[in-house]
């Protein structure tokens, strides 16, 4: 019996011989099958792929993605891929028109949209937090979460402690907003002291984290985030008040609506609407627990799993191509 499957260190089970031509045939069959799926057709028909004049013009990431998705989710039916196919079309051709509920809404700057899945239905600036178990869990555990936050801050002051607050963007830095990041791009942070915040971590990991941040946000007195919008319609943002200035003196405006933070209460909102914040206090900072996550109210489990897979593969693809830092908005 051959020890390594026929020579050359194939790494397969004993007695298994790998033949390159057979592997190539399997890959070709997978690619052909994937090409007939909604995502495969969307990729093949996009101007970037169909009109590519040379191999260098082809988006190699999206060229591979239909086969990778078919292999990862072999039981998914064609009808389950339709909105994901729409996402692929818009990713490959940003000039495609968006739906009227975005284009026709003066509060949603559609020119900022960079990651878009059509067909997710009507939207509103603020959503009812009682619709999500996440918000219920956060509110029920406010005292524990606040104690864990204080433990993390205290840990930074110990000898050799590390200041883990950072500005996620230059806008945040200039606006007096810093974040104690627990998750970045949906991943845990290496060497983070998660043992100091087990309940917070468990609750945050109960939702499909989006490709930005989850953590504790501090807003300095008399400062605020300037007006902006985020261009991903597949995410929602939840913030729970942790340390709120006296008189609930800190607010956020999302679209035409303004809400104030209260300790232990969640604000659930859609950041494709323009939004801004301000802390009115002269002395007190405002601290909220912030989490970006895939919209479980509008997307199916398959769509969310597939998007997390796409984001993860895109991140690995960019790293393999030598991109030193993969930002929060990777698609």
């Amino acid at each position: 019996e051959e020890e390594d499957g026929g020579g050359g260190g194939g790494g397969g089970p004993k007695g298994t011989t790998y033949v390159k031509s057979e592997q190539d045939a399997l890959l070709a069959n997978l690619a052909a099958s994937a090409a007939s799926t909604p995502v495969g057709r969307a990729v093949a028909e996009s101007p970037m792929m169909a009109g590519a004049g040379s191999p260098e013009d082809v988006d190699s990431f999206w060229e591979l993605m239909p086969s990778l998705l078919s292999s990862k989710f072999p039981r998914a039916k064609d009808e389950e891929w339709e909105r994901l196919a729409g996402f692929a079309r818009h990713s490959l051709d940003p000039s495609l028109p968006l739906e009227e509920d975005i284009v026709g809404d003066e509060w949603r700057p559609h020119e900022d949209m960079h990651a878009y899945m059509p067909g997710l239905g009507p939207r509103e600036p603020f959503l009812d937090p009682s619709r999500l178990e996440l918000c219920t869990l956060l509110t029920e555990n406010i005292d524990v979460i606040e104690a864990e936050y204080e433990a993390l801050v205290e840990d930074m002051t110990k000898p050799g402690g590390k200041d883990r607050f950072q500005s996620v963007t230059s806008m945040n830095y200039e606006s007096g907003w810093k974040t104690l990041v627990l998750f970045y791009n949906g991943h845990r942070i290496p060497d983070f002291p998660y043992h100091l915040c087990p309940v917070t971590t468990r609750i945050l990991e109960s939702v499909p984290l989006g490709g930005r941040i989850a953590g504790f946000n501090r807003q300095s007195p008399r400062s605020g985030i300037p007006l902006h919008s985020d261009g991903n319609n597949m995410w929602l943002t939840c913030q729970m008040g942790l340390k709120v200035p006296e008189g609930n003196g800190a607010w956020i405006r999302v679209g035409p609506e303004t809400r104030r933070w209260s300790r232990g209460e969640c604000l659930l909102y859609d950041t494709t609407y323009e939004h801004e914040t301000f802390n009115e206090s002269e002395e007190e900072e405002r601290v909220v627990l912030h989490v970006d996550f895939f919209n479980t109210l509008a997307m199916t489990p398959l769509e969310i799993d597939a998007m997390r897979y796409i984001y993860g593969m895109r991140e690995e693809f960019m790293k393999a191509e030598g991109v030193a830092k993969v930002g929060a908005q990777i698609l």
Side-chain angles (χ1 to χ4, degrees):
E1 183 177 59
E2 295 178 57
E3 291 296 323
D4 64 359
K14 291 182 179 180
T16 301
T17 300
Y18 291 103
V19 180
K20 185 177 186 303
S21 61
E22 294 177 356
Q23 294 177 1
D24 291 344
L26 288 172
L27 292 174
N29 288 336
L30 176 61
S33 175
S36 66
T37 65
V39 175
R41 292 194 298 270
V43 170
E45 295 166 2
S46 70
M48 183 181 295
M49 307 298 280
S54 66
E56 290 76 19
D57 297 329
V58 172
D59 186 321
S60 52
F61 171 78
W62 277 108
E63 185 181 32
L64 290 170
M65 192 47 57
S67 295
L68 292 175
L69 288 171
S70 293
S71 178
K72 180 70 174 178
F73 305 98
R75 295 182 177 85
K77 300 176 181 179
D78 276 2
E79 56 267 27
E80 297 179 280
W81 289 113
E82 288 298 336
R83 295 196 299 196
L84 283 154
F87 165 77
R89 290 189 186 93
H90 282 272
S91 296
L92 288 163
D93 186 3
S95 69
L96 286 176
L98 305 178
E99 291 167 300
E100 180 58 28
D101 72 307
I102 292 181
V103 177
D105 192 331
E106 63 178 311
W107 302 104
R108 301 176 78 187
H110 58 275
E111 64 275 6
D112 293 342
M113 198 68 64
H114 64 84
Y116 178 72
M117 179 177 287
L120 293 184
R123 306 298 279 269
E124 53 190 328
F126 287 97
L127 294 84
D128 182 357
S130 68
R131 297 174 64 188
L132 284 180
E133 185 182 12
L134 166 70
C135 299
T136 301
L137 290 172
L138 291 176
T139 297
E140 289 176 348
N141 288 276
I142 175 61
D143 293 334
V144 175
I145 292 171
E146 183 175 22
E148 292 183 349
Y149 167 74
E150 292 172 348
L152 289 168
V153 173
E154 181 182 358
D155 185 64
M156 299 180 201
T157 66
K158 295 179 179 178
K162 177 182 178 182
D163 183 0
R164 296 183 180 275
F165 281 98
Q166 58 182 289
S167 179
V168 180
T169 69
S170 60
M171 178 181 66
N172 292 352
Y173 178 77
E174 295 165 359
S175 305
W177 180 312
K178 287 191 175 182
T179 303
L180 173 55
V181 181
L182 275 68
F183 296 88
Y184 185 67
N185 282 351
H187 307 309
R188 286 195 178 200
I189 307 298
D191 302 319
F192 189 90
Y194 289 102
H195 65 283
L196 296 176
C197 54
V199 173
T200 305
T201 300
R202 173 176 55 79
I203 294 175
L204 293 181
E205 289 186 325
S206 71
V207 295
L209 297 173
R212 288 188 291 196
I213 62 167
F216 296 100
N217 287 344
R218 303 169 78 170
Q219 184 75 62
S220 302
R222 302 302 302 174
S223 69
I225 295 292
L227 189 65
H228 69 287
S229 68
D230 303 323
N232 190 320
N233 79 325
M234 294 172 285
W235 293 340
L236 293 177
T237 294
C238 174
Q239 291 185 343
M240 180 179 71
L242 206 65
K243 296 184 180 295
V244 179
E246 184 178 358
N248 296 341
W251 52 261
I252 179 171
R253 179 178 72 82
V254 181
E257 300 181 38
T258 300
R259 304 278 177 93
R260 290 181 178 271
W261 283 284
S262 298
R263 182 181 181 275
E265 294 186 9
C266 291
L267 295 179
L268 181 64
Y269 58 96
D270 180 345
T271 60
T272 62
Y273 288 85
E274 64 176 35
H275 52 286
E276 60 183 337
T277 73
F278 197 74
N279 178 4
E280 298 171 344
S281 175
E282 298 288 344
E283 299 179 350
E284 297 178 79
E285 70 175 5
R286 183 236 58 193
V287 180
V288 298
L289 178 61
H290 174 112
V291 54
D292 297 315
F293 59 100
F294 283 98
N295 187 348
T296 55
L297 298 175
M299 298 172 67
T300 67
L302 172 67
E303 289 170 341
I304 292 172
D305 288 345
M307 285 307 308
R308 297 181 81 182
Y309 178 70
I310 290 171
Y311 270 70
M313 291 302 296
R314 184 64 163 178
E315 189 171 355
E316 293 303 316
F317 194 86
M318 293 173 73
K319 289 178 181 177
E321 287 194 326
V323 178
K325 181 178 181 181
V326 180
Q329 298 175 349
I330 59 175
L331 289 175

